Structure formats: C-alpha cells, structure tokens
C-alpha cells in the first residue's frame, strides 16, 4: 500500500544499509488488496479539512527541467519536466531537543495540533494516550496533573501545555512566522470539522489494545494529510507505541533526505531499531506492528 506520494528520481548516493528491509518494495499510488475502503475512509479527512495539514508553510510548486533535477525529489515527472516543491520552513527556528506530544489518534483536539505540526514541518516524539491506556496516559497525568489531551512538553523552552488552541499558537510563534492559518483559528468550526474528518474511522486509534513496549521509540516518517500514514498512526496509538515522527509535509526538505536515505520517497516509512528493520507500505507496517508488539488475548 503506497502513500500516494513518491518520486520518479532515484538517489545517486548509496542507500543506507544499517537496517534490513522487512517489507515489500514501495509502490507508488497503489492500494493493497482489501484495503480500498480503509484508505478511502481515511482520505475523507482531506475533504473535511480542505487539505489542512498537507502543505508546509509557504508551500510552492513549479515545473523545472527534469534532467537538471536528476537525483532530487520531485512529486512527479512527465514530458521532460519535473514538479519541484518548496516551502519557507527552512527559514524557521527548529527545536534542538525533542518536542513531546501526548495524544491519541481519534481525538479532534489532538488532530488540530497534529495539523499544525505538519504545517510547520516539526519533528515530535509522540506518546500515544488512548482510552484505557496503561502506559503513557498515566505518565501524562503524572507530568501535568490531569488526563486531558493533547498535552505538549517542549524540552527546549520548558513549556508544558494543555489546550489545543494554546499549543497551536505557541508552536507558530516559537517555530514559525507567528501566523496561524485560518483553518486552525476558526474556533468551534475547526474542532467540528476535525471531528468530521475522523468520523469515517469510527474510533480507530482511540482505545488501547494489550501490547508490549519497545525498548526504544520507533521512527515514522509521515504527515497528517496522508491516509496511508493515518492508518499506521491508528495502530501505533492503539498499541501505545511511542515513536518519533519525522514530519515531511508537501514542500518539506526532508523528502529529499528520505530519497537519499532509501532511494525512494514514500510515506509511511517506519524504522524499528529494536529489531533492526525498516518498512514501507502501510499494510505491511501494520501487520509488522501487530505481529511484533500486540499481545494476543
């Protein structure tokens, strides 16, 4: 199952070899057998939220000569022309220490913050806190004093925050240009449409399932608008698996980094240093997570 995002170019540099590929090779713009309804329901969010969370601040695309762009990320190539995507995020302050986010996938208030993180192209360490969770939900309560989500901890500034709107304003002021996009500052309308975006997934990612914890957090590359990323994040949330999200929205310079690292750009892309593997393809990733970390009843 692909992400619907990729590149026609191949990286000229050597592909990283320290982890082994435990899944299939990535396939662009394809959906695994039996997964069409799942991906379609996850893709509804793009309509409900008018594409919010898919594009980095200052996103711009342009046609360039494909030959001159050889080895560089482009969203597509046709007729000797390539579509190059850029943004302003490279000019913004970036956190040195990990930003921590305690949240769960089925929460509309959490989705608002996840969209802001994607727009700002920020990397965060996510500690999932689904209902009945026994791992990170108690930790969040210990840190902040109440079971309210999302809850953000910024180790760079010492800020610890509840309230999605406050978190969004803080992130744009600290790590952006201070301008919160309209779609994230419409008050109740933002929250309602975020709830509608999640509705077709009927609670996926909201309730904990028995699992064993990895010694080290996983690493997942993705962004909020991709339905293929969403279905993996639902599984990570339900299994309470901590992970570092390498955010790579449209226009992110990190898309080039993944292309150079693996010879492809496609999300979701998962690395698990605990078992020494990496995987593309959301169906394969979810099967791996269930087989490796879910505890059978």
């Amino acid at each position: 199952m692909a992400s619907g995002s990729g590149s026609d170019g191949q990286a000229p540099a050597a592909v990283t070899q320290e982890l082994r590929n435990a899944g299939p090779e990535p396939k662009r713009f394809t959906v695994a057998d039996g997964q069409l309804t799942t991906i379609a329901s996850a893709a509804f969010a793009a309509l409900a939220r008018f594409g919010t969370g898919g594009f980095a601040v200052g996103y711009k695309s342009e046609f360039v000569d494909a030959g001159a762009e050889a080895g560089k990320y482009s969203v597509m190539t046709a007729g000797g022309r390539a579509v190059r995507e850029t943004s302003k995020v490279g000019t913004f302050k970036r956190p040195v220490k990990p930003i921590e986010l305690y949240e769960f996938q089925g929460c509309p208030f959490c989705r608002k913050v996840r969209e802001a993180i994607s727009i700002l192209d920020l990397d965060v360490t996510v500690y999932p806190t689904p209902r009945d969770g026994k791992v990170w939900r108690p930790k969040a309560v210990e840190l902040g004093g109440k079971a309210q989500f999302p809850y953000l901890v910024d180790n760079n500034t010492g800020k610890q925050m509840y309230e999605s709107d406050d978190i969004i304003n803080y992130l744009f002021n600290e790590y952006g240009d201070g301008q919160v996009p309209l779609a994230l500052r419409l008050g109740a309308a933002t929250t309602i449409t975020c709830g509608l975006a999640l509705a077709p997934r009927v609670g996926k990612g909201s309730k904990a399932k028995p699992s064993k914890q990895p010694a080290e957090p996983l690493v997942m590359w993705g962004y909020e608008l991709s339905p293929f990323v969403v279905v993996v994040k639902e599984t990570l949330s339900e299994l309470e698996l901590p992970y570092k999200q390498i955010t790579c929205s449209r226009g992110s310079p990190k898309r080039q980094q993944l292309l150079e690292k693996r010879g492809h750009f496609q999300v979701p892309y998962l690395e698990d240093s605990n078992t020494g593997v990496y995987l593309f393809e959301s169906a394969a990733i979810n099967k791996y997570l269930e087989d490796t970390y879910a505890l059978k009843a």
Side-chain angles (χ1 to χ4, degrees), residues 15 40 45-46 73-74 76 78 96 112 148 169 172 182-183 186 215 224 228 233 238 250 260 273 275 277 286 293 297:
V15 173
Y73 170 76
S74 60
M76 66 177 295
V96 176
K112 290 164 59 177
Q148 179 176 316
N169 285 325
F172 274 91
L182 179 62
L186 293 175
E224 186 63 23
F228 301 90
K233 292 176 76 171
E238 291 172 352
R250 300 285 295 273
E260 293 174 357
S273 62
T275 58
V277 304
N286 276 342
Y293 293 108

Side-chain angles (χ1 to χ4, degrees), residues 62-74 76-84:
E62 58 183 335
F63 284 101
V64 295
D65 179 70
E69 295 292 298
K72 297 181 181 179
Y73 170 76
S74 60
M76 66 177 295
T77 301
R81 304 290 283 173
V83 179
R84 180 170 62 194

Side-chain angles (χ1 to χ4, degrees), residues 13-232:
V15 173
T16 306
Q17 297 291 342
E18 71 274 9
L19 302 176
R20 65 178 179 84
N21 186 2
E25 288 299 311
K27 299 177 181 178
R28 299 186 69 204
F29 309 123
T30 60
V31 178
D33 291 343
Q35 295 295 304
L36 183 59
T37 300
T38 296
I39 297 303
S41 62
F44 176 76
L47 298 176
R49 294 292 295 141
F50 302 100
T52 308
F55 303 87
V57 176
Y59 173 83
K60 183 173 68 173
S61 63
E62 58 183 335
F63 284 101
V64 295
D65 179 70
E69 295 292 298
K72 297 181 181 179
Y73 170 76
S74 60
V75 69
M76 66 177 295
T77 301
R81 304 290 283 173
V83 179
R84 180 170 62 194
E85 299 179 307
T86 58
S87 69
K88 291 168 53 179
V89 295
T91 67
F92 296 158
K93 173 184 174 184
R94 301 287 85 178
V96 176
K97 300 176 183 177
I99 294 176
E100 300 175 1
L101 181 65
Y102 294 80
E103 61 99 36
F104 62 97
Q105 190 65 21
C107 165
F109 300 98
C110 299
R111 182 181 173 91
K112 290 164 59 177
V113 172
R114 295 196 303 265
E115 288 181 351
I117 286 168
S118 284
I119 293 168
L120 290 168
D121 205 43
L122 289 171
D123 297 345
V124 296
T125 300
V126 178
Y127 296 98
T129 57
R131 292 194 308 272
D132 302 327
K134 296 178 172 58
V135 184
W136 303 112
R137 183 171 278 242
K139 177 65 174 178
V141 173
E142 177 186 330
L143 289 172
K146 52 186 175 180
Q148 179 176 316
F149 305 100
Y151 176 61
L152 183 101
V153 177
D154 187 347
N155 296 300
N156 301 276
T157 63
K159 283 282 189 180
Q160 300 186 17
M161 307 179 69
Y162 292 105
E163 301 297 340
S164 56
D165 288 339
D166 291 344
I167 293 172
I168 290 168
N169 285 325
Y170 167 76
L171 291 175
F172 274 91
N173 284 324
E174 190 70 24
Y175 299 110
D177 56 7
Q179 303 298 311
V180 178
L182 179 62
L184 288 175
R185 50 183 170 88
L186 293 175
T190 297
T191 304
I192 290 169
T193 53
C194 280
L196 288 173
L198 297 168
R201 299 301 296 147
V202 289
K204 292 288 186 180
S206 296
K207 185 174 174 58
K209 296 164 59 175
S211 65
K212 58 183 178 181
Q213 287 291 299
E216 297 293 333
L218 311 183
V219 176
M220 192 198 69
W221 295 59
Y223 63 109
E224 186 63 23
L225 199 63
S226 167
F228 301 90
V229 172
V230 165
V231 298
V232 170

Side-chain angles (χ1 to χ4, degrees), residues 219-284:
V219 176
M220 192 198 69
W221 295 59
Y223 63 109
E224 186 63 23
L225 199 63
S226 167
F228 301 90
V229 172
V230 165
V231 298
V232 170
K233 292 176 76 171
E234 289 171 350
T235 301
L236 290 165
S237 183
E238 291 172 352
L239 295 176
E240 300 181 87
L241 299 176
Y243 62 97
K244 180 178 181 181
Q245 176 177 301
I246 308 297
T247 305
C248 43
S249 308
R250 300 285 295 273
S252 170
K254 284 172 277 184
R255 292 188 167 217
Q256 178 67 27
Q257 294 174 19
L258 183 54
L259 175 63
E260 293 174 357
K261 184 182 182 72
R262 293 294 173 210
H264 304 274
F265 174 83
Q266 185 169 293
V267 290
Y269 165 72
L270 184 87
E271 293 183 343
D272 188 349
S273 62
N274 302 281
T275 58
V277 304
Y278 72 85
L279 300 93
F280 290 98
E281 300 291 330
S282 53

